[in-house]
Amino acid sequence: MSQSSYNQVWKEAMSELSYLLAEELPPVPPPPQRDRVVFFQRLATLYVRYVQVFRQLEEAHNMLVHPQKRRLILLLLKGVMGRVLELKYEMVEKEFSEYHYVDDILHALKLTPPALEIPIPYFFVGERSKETEERKTMVLDVLNLADDSKDLDTSMDKVMTEEEAIKIIQMVERAWQGRVRAKLNKEIRFSNFDRRHRAKGAGSAFNELAAIRIQKIWKGYLQRKKTKIARDEEMIFLGMVMDPKYQGPLQAEIDAQAIDASIRVRQKKHEEIYLNAIDAIVNQIREFEWNDMAKTMKNQIRQWFYECRNTTGLFPDYPTVEEGGSAIIFAEKTPQQLVEEIALQEEEAASKSKAKGKDDKKAKEKKDKGKAKGAEDDEEGLTMMPSAFLSELAVANKRYEEVWKTRNESENFTQIHEVELVKEEMRKIVEEEVRLKVDEEMREELAELKLAIDKEKPGKQKGPKKKKGSKGGKKKKKEKDLTPDRTLESLCEELVQQGLLKRAKNFRMQDFLGDYNYLGTTLRQNDIEPMPSLLDVRQVLSLYGILPLGAPEVHEKAPLIKSILLVGPAGVGKSMLVHAICQETGATMFDLSPYSTAGKYPGKPGMAMMLHMVFKVARLLQPSVIWIQDAEKMFYKKVPKDEEQLEPRRLKKDLPKCLKLIKPEDRVLIIGTTKAPQNSELKSMCKMYGKIILIPRPDYGSRYILWEKLIKKQGGKITNALDLTSLTKVTDGYTPGHMVQVISSVVTKDRINDLTKQPLTADDFIVPLAKFEPVLQKEEEALKNWYAKTPLGKRRTKAAAEKEDALLKAKDAKSKKKK
């Protein structure tokens, strides 16, 4: 696609965004909605539409090369991301579930389920600041050094025992004897074969019979080959099988990848040109326009002096730096308005102290009334929560309409920066610099005027009064720095040596395969709570884990999520998701699992030092992910005897305290994974983890996709001999982890070489799969019952019970009317 095509994508996204802003920011606020279903439908519709705008803006920002456009798109993109998270939070609060099924909305908007996929912006990792990049490279260097030292240690320290040496000698000797026996048997077999055939007569009848047999076999082979080709062509014609020429990478795909790479290069080049142009234009404005700006400002300020003198009889007080300096003077207000504002402020300050006692009494009365009216407000209707992103989106949208919507770019074919726009932006910055300098000079001039005309001696100017309320309030305790003299590099080295700072494995969110839950809406309509699909889990974690960690502005203003707990059977991909979140956001990974902390930093002082170091480095290297594997061990009801040495509950009290210290500006996320949450104290675990995500075993659609994609990824080929449908049906209850192990053991290099002669079949996978124990329905039901006891699960159960009661009351009322 060309740059004009991506400009069109941006234009379509902005058109839809303007409609959304008009709906969400009407002149008259809409009345509260009493029907919860209708209110949720509006929320879900807005969510789906914002996701579409998000996908379009991400594509435009990823592929456009114009530096000024990309800056505005980035601002819009972050605002839309934040709004999507706000709507998701409201949807969870109104439906009491982390998963939502909106098939009716997709049908109304003419969209398919893949349209709900949350894209991961490229700028999270591809366009990080130099400071962040340097810190990340430093951590990678420390990890590489640790890996090299481990390799050297293992190679030097390994000493072969006598038993191991004997086993190796026996293995080699037996292999040699086997080869000798095989060679001897081969010679005997060939000698017997030659003896038998020599005994037979080599007459013409025998030769003719042999030729007929050879012809029969050859003609049969040719006919079968022709039949197979004709059948394959028919299936391709009917659209039942993909044409082989489309299975491999096409030339168009290769060209598109090359174009993408060239666009990245052009983006960097245009960005460098733009930054150099900014420096040159700023210097040019300072050189040629500084004096004119200063002269104009001084004339305006002097005029203000004289107007105030003529109106009030006195020269005004010059605004302080804290108040904004002469920026207040340049506001579109008359001197009389300014004087009135100052007088009003003084009157308000005097009246506040008198009316304070009365206000306290009124506030208490209002609180008492509010408690009584709380239930009535719920009945009155539901309203949207205030948004922290809509105002920013409205400003950015206005900027687009003023500058870019009708701009003619026919002459800017290369899509470099617009010089006039740069001048407008930089002129404002230079004006601020000029204003600060002019303010200093005009303060002195005002003092001289007061001394000469009003005979007023210069004194200290009164600054803004400090609020007294801050003294009485409780001061928050600041976290003590236990390592003030240590560098970041030394802390990282120690954490790596202790195994608490680790390298994230190379997984991506796209590697977590699954299918959409097509029955979710139907089951919900019949009051049956569906189990989420693996694709639903991926979408939820992209929202909760990746988007806030990737963008600081989104993390600060969106609903804060400090911790997530992933619950599911072994092998469903919990650890893989943790590594994928780290890779997609470029986050540093810390490991505070019980097995990683066992025997390290003993005692209370040691534990305090460990947590301090981990959280200090996590804040400095943000975004960061703190992983706690086997999270249930930290909240054991009773510690098993074989795990007493681990001291799994040593972080139970101190880690929640550290969690409370995480602020919105700290992009630090704690992720726990567990396969047996029933063994833990539910109340303590729910306090620790704000979001609990249940990951089920894969359903039929997800299993089919997993078998197909994983076999191809390993190098296998799927032919008609491999019945994927039957294999998917038979393997109900097996997890993706089981499938990966089986495929890696079956599809080996030797087996790949023999695929032409012996294609893969379902039997090849069933035999090794039988060695694993599947996840039974009982285990999944146990996890589902445990999840129903969590705060969100309780709220959903309560809402379902209230709905049933309302239906029963309605039926009773109808039956009474009939009687």
Side-chain angles (χ1 to χ4, degrees):
M1 290 173 70
S2 62
Q3 290 295 301
S4 60
S5 301
Y6 292 115
N7 279 322
Q8 184 63 30
V9 171
W10 183 30
K11 187 177 179 181
E12 291 173 2
M14 295 307 297
S15 176
E16 179 65 17
L17 181 61
S18 62
Y19 288 135
L20 286 166
L21 291 173
E23 287 182 24
E24 291 212 78
L25 299 171
V28 180
Q33 180 59 249
R34 292 185 179 181
D35 192 344
R36 183 177 285 271
V37 177
V38 175
F39 184 75
F40 177 80
Q41 198 76 359
R42 181 168 182 265
L43 280 176
T45 305
L46 287 172
Y47 171 80
V48 174
R49 290 173 67 187
Y50 269 109
V51 169
Q52 304 317 302
V53 175
F54 176 28
R55 291 169 66 88
Q56 290 175 314
L57 288 175
E58 195 277 330
E59 183 182 8
H61 180 264
N62 199 17
M63 303 308 293
L64 284 174
V65 298
H66 198 294
Q68 291 159 305
K69 288 180 183 177
R70 294 185 79 243
R71 275 168 167 71
L72 181 58
I73 294 172
L74 183 60
L75 186 64
L76 289 160
L77 187 59
K78 290 176 180 178
V80 171
M81 284 162 54
R83 187 59 187 146
V84 167
L85 290 174
E86 287 178 340
L87 289 170
K88 175 67 178 177
Y89 178 80
E90 283 200 65
M91 289 165 69
V92 172
E93 291 296 314
K94 297 302 179 288
E95 203 179 29
F96 311 119
S97 175
E98 300 288 354
Y99 305 101
H100 314 289
Y101 304 101
V102 289
D103 294 350
D104 51 346
I105 296 171
L106 290 176
H107 180 71
L109 297 175
K110 298 180 181 180
L111 299 172
T112 56
L116 290 175
E117 185 72 23
I118 304 298
I120 297 167
Y122 171 77
F123 73 87
F124 282 178
V125 178
E127 298 179 10
R128 292 186 294 195
S129 63
K130 288 183 179 179
E131 220 178 294
T132 308
E133 200 66 38
E134 288 173 1
R135 287 181 175 179
K136 296 294 179 184
T137 49
M138 182 269 292
V139 174
L140 286 174
D141 293 339
V142 172
L143 288 167
N144 290 330
L145 285 172
D147 292 341
D148 294 340
S149 62
K150 282 181 183 177
D151 293 339
L152 290 170
D153 292 342
T154 52
S155 60
M156 294 295 291
D157 295 343
K158 274 192 176 180
V159 178
M160 189 181 293
T161 61
E162 187 177 350
E163 292 180 0
E164 290 175 349
I166 292 169
K167 284 181 181 179
I168 291 171
I169 294 168
Q170 287 177 346
M171 183 176 66
V172 173
E173 182 64 25
R174 285 168 185 165
W176 176 78
Q177 289 178 3
R179 286 193 294 272
V180 171
R181 281 197 211 95
K183 187 178 179 182
L184 184 62
N185 290 334
K186 186 178 180 181
E187 291 174 357
I188 292 169
R189 199 182 308 114
F190 275 105
S191 62
N192 292 337
F193 179 79
D194 291 343
R195 199 180 298 114
R196 283 198 305 273
H197 281 273
R198 283 173 192 163
K200 290 184 179 182
S204 59
F206 176 78
N207 292 338
E208 188 177 349
L209 182 64
I212 290 169
R213 286 186 178 178
I214 292 169
Q215 289 175 356
K216 177 184 175 183
I217 292 168
W218 176 248
K219 287 180 179 179
Y221 166 75
L222 286 177
Q223 190 58 43
R224 285 191 298 273
K225 190 175 180 181
K226 289 178 182 177
T227 305
K228 185 178 180 301
I229 291 170
R231 187 174 182 278
D232 291 344
E233 288 177 353
E234 183 182 4
M235 297 296 283
I236 291 168
F237 176 74
L238 294 172
M240 301 296 289
V241 177
M242 186 181 287
D243 196 335
K245 68 181 180 182
Y246 297 124
Q247 291 179 359
L250 299 175
Q251 186 61 37
E253 294 177 355
I254 296 169
D255 293 342
Q257 291 174 359
I259 290 169
D260 290 351
S262 67
I263 285 174
R264 299 270 180 264
V265 175
R266 287 175 65 193
Q267 284 175 350
K268 291 180 180 178
K269 185 179 178 181
H270 286 203
E271 185 69 19
E272 289 176 4
I273 294 170
Y274 175 66
L275 294 175
N276 294 332
I278 286 175
D279 295 337
I281 288 169
V282 167
N283 293 332
Q284 185 181 359
I285 292 171
R286 285 172 181 163
E287 184 178 354
F288 295 105
E289 299 183 25
W290 182 285
N291 293 332
D292 293 338
M293 286 181 183
K295 188 176 180 181
T296 306
M297 287 182 190
K298 286 178 181 179
N299 291 334
Q300 289 176 350
I301 294 169
R302 287 191 188 104
Q303 185 181 358
W304 178 69
F305 289 166
Y306 299 137
E307 286 180 358
C308 287
R309 166 80 178 172
N310 295 333
T311 307
T312 61
L314 293 172
F315 283 109
D317 291 332
Y318 205 93
T320 61
V321 178
E322 291 80 7
E323 291 173 345
S326 58
I328 299 174
I329 303 168
F330 295 144
E332 295 180 359
K333 294 178 182 177
T334 62
Q336 187 64 33
Q337 288 175 335
L338 290 170
V339 172
E340 288 175 2
E341 280 186 8
I342 294 166
L344 281 172
Q345 287 175 2
E346 290 176 356
E347 286 177 10
E348 285 176 4
S351 61
K352 272 181 185 178
S353 58
K354 293 179 181 178
K356 194 176 180 182
K358 295 180 181 179
D359 290 339
D360 292 338
K361 290 180 181 178
K362 288 179 181 179
K364 287 181 181 179
E365 291 174 4
K366 284 181 181 179
K367 283 182 181 178
D368 296 334
K369 289 179 182 178
K371 289 178 182 178
K373 290 184 179 179
E376 294 177 9
D377 291 339
D378 293 337
E379 292 177 3
E380 284 177 5
L382 300 166
T383 55
M384 299 276 284
M385 293 172 60
S387 172
F389 296 95
L390 283 177
S391 58
E392 294 179 2
L393 283 173
V395 171
N397 184 56
K398 187 179 178 183
R399 174 71 176 169
Y400 165 78
E401 290 179 349
E402 291 174 353
V403 178
W404 298 107
K405 189 175 182 179
T406 57
R407 196 175 192 84
N408 184 11
E409 294 187 276
S410 57
E411 296 181 0
N412 190 7
F413 181 75
T414 55
Q415 290 292 292
I416 59 170
H417 62 274
E418 300 282 348
V419 177
E420 292 302 320
L421 292 178
V422 178
K423 284 183 178 179
E424 286 179 15
E425 293 172 3
M426 295 302 108
R427 195 170 279 117
K428 293 176 183 176
I429 295 171
V430 175
E431 278 180 0
E432 290 297 323
E433 296 176 2
V434 174
R435 181 174 290 115
L436 293 173
K437 190 72 176 174
V438 167
D439 283 352
E440 293 177 6
E441 295 176 5
M442 296 309 293
R443 281 193 187 93
E444 294 177 4
E445 185 174 329
L446 179 62
E448 291 174 0
L449 284 170
K450 286 182 178 180
L451 182 62
I453 298 172
D454 294 341
K455 306 297 181 181
E456 183 182 334
K457 293 182 180 180
K460 290 184 179 180
Q461 197 169 349
K462 294 180 181 179
K465 293 181 180 179
K466 295 181 180 179
K467 294 182 181 178
K468 295 180 181 179
S470 60
K471 291 184 180 179
K474 291 183 180 178
K475 293 183 179 179
K476 292 184 179 179
K477 291 183 179 179
K478 291 184 179 180
E479 189 180 358
K480 290 182 180 179
D481 190 359
L482 303 178
T483 55
D485 301 329
R486 295 190 59 179
T487 61
L488 177 61
E489 190 173 354
S490 66
L491 291 172
C492 290
E493 287 176 0
E494 183 175 342
L495 290 174
V496 169
Q497 289 171 1
Q498 296 294 333
L500 301 180
L501 175 58
K502 293 184 176 180
R503 188 198 305 272
K505 295 179 182 178
N506 192 17
F507 288 117
R508 299 286 175 180
M509 290 301 283
Q510 291 181 351
D511 299 333
F512 191 77
L513 302 171
D515 198 11
Y516 187 75
N517 191 348
Y518 298 98
L519 293 175
T521 303
T522 307
L523 293 172
R524 281 263 173 95
Q525 288 172 353
N526 293 313
D527 296 330
I528 300 171
E529 183 60 24
M531 288 297 285
S533 67
L534 298 184
L535 189 65
D536 297 333
V537 174
R538 186 172 78 184
Q539 289 178 359
V540 167
L541 280 176
S542 296
L543 288 168
Y544 291 162
I546 293 177
L547 296 189
L549 284 179
E553 298 85 355
V554 176
H555 193 274
E556 288 178 16
K557 297 178 183 178
L560 185 60
I561 297 172
K562 298 181 180 181
S563 54
I564 301 172
L565 179 66
L566 304 180
V567 181
V572 292
K574 301 184 294 294
S575 303
M576 176 186 175
L577 286 168
V578 177
H579 290 281
I581 289 171
C582 294
Q583 286 290 345
E584 296 289 3
T585 58
T588 312
M589 192 175 81
F590 300 85
D591 190 358
L592 286 181
S593 305
Y595 285 105
S596 298
T597 58
K600 297 168 185 174
Y601 298 97
K604 285 188 176 181
M607 183 176 60
M609 176 61 74
M610 177 181 70
L611 289 174
H612 168 75
M613 288 172 61
V614 167
F615 278 89
K616 179 180 178 179
V617 177
R619 286 187 179 94
L620 292 172
L621 297 177
Q622 58 180 295
S624 300
V625 171
I626 299 173
W627 180 28
I628 303 173
Q629 196 174 14
D630 298 326
E632 79 279 358
K633 296 182 186 297
M634 192 183 296
F635 302 98
Y636 263 148
K637 297 174 183 175
K638 186 178 180 182
V639 180
K641 289 184 179 180
D642 56 342
E643 295 184 10
E644 287 180 354
Q645 293 181 351
L646 295 176
E647 296 183 77
R649 295 196 293 188
R650 63 188 296 224
L651 298 177
K652 182 180 177 181
K653 292 182 179 179
D654 293 328
L655 190 60
K657 292 178 183 177
C658 296
L659 181 68
K660 289 179 181 178
L661 296 174
I662 296 176
K663 301 173 184 176
E665 57 268 22
D666 299 329
R667 286 184 292 156
V668 179
L669 180 65
I670 298 175
I671 303 180
T673 57
T674 175
K675 58 185 176 182
Q678 303 92 334
N679 300 334
S680 64
E681 296 176 2
L682 180 63
K683 191 175 180 181
S684 302
M685 186 172 273
C686 290
K687 281 184 179 179
M688 174 71 190
Y689 296 100
K691 291 288 180 182
I692 299 175
I693 308 299
L694 184 62
I695 306 176
R697 56 183 186 171
D699 55 5
Y700 177 85
S702 298
R703 289 199 307 276
Y704 189 93
I705 290 173
L706 281 163
W707 280 117
E708 183 181 13
K709 296 288 179 69
L710 291 175
I711 289 171
K712 288 181 179 179
K713 187 178 179 182
Q714 191 68 18
K717 291 182 180 179
I718 295 173
T719 60
N720 294 331
L722 179 57
D723 189 358
L724 271 182
T725 305
S726 300
L727 181 62
T728 305
K729 191 72 177 175
V730 170
T731 54
D732 185 17
Y734 289 96
T735 63
H738 295 149
M739 296 178 188
V740 170
Q741 292 182 51
V742 169
I743 290 169
S744 60
S745 64
V746 172
V747 187
T748 57
K749 289 183 180 179
D750 296 334
R751 189 71 176 83
I752 292 169
N753 295 330
D754 294 337
L755 286 177
T756 53
K757 299 177 183 177
Q758 189 181 359
L760 293 170
T761 61
D763 297 335
D764 297 336
F765 299 99
I766 289 173
V767 175
L769 198 64
K771 298 176 183 177
F772 299 99
E773 291 185 6
V775 180
L776 302 176
Q777 187 72 25
K778 291 181 181 178
E779 297 178 33
E780 195 171 77
E781 287 296 326
L783 289 175
K784 199 173 178 181
N785 293 333
W786 177 86
Y787 185 77
K789 297 175 184 176
T790 60
L792 192 64
K794 285 180 180 178
R795 290 169 66 189
R796 180 152 188 85
T797 306
K798 185 180 177 182
E802 289 175 357
K803 188 178 178 182
E804 287 180 6
D805 293 341
L807 289 172
L808 288 172
K809 287 179 182 178
K811 286 181 181 179
D812 292 340
K814 283 182 181 180
S815 60
K816 287 178 181 178
K817 284 181 180 179
K818 287 179 181 179
K819 290 178 181 179

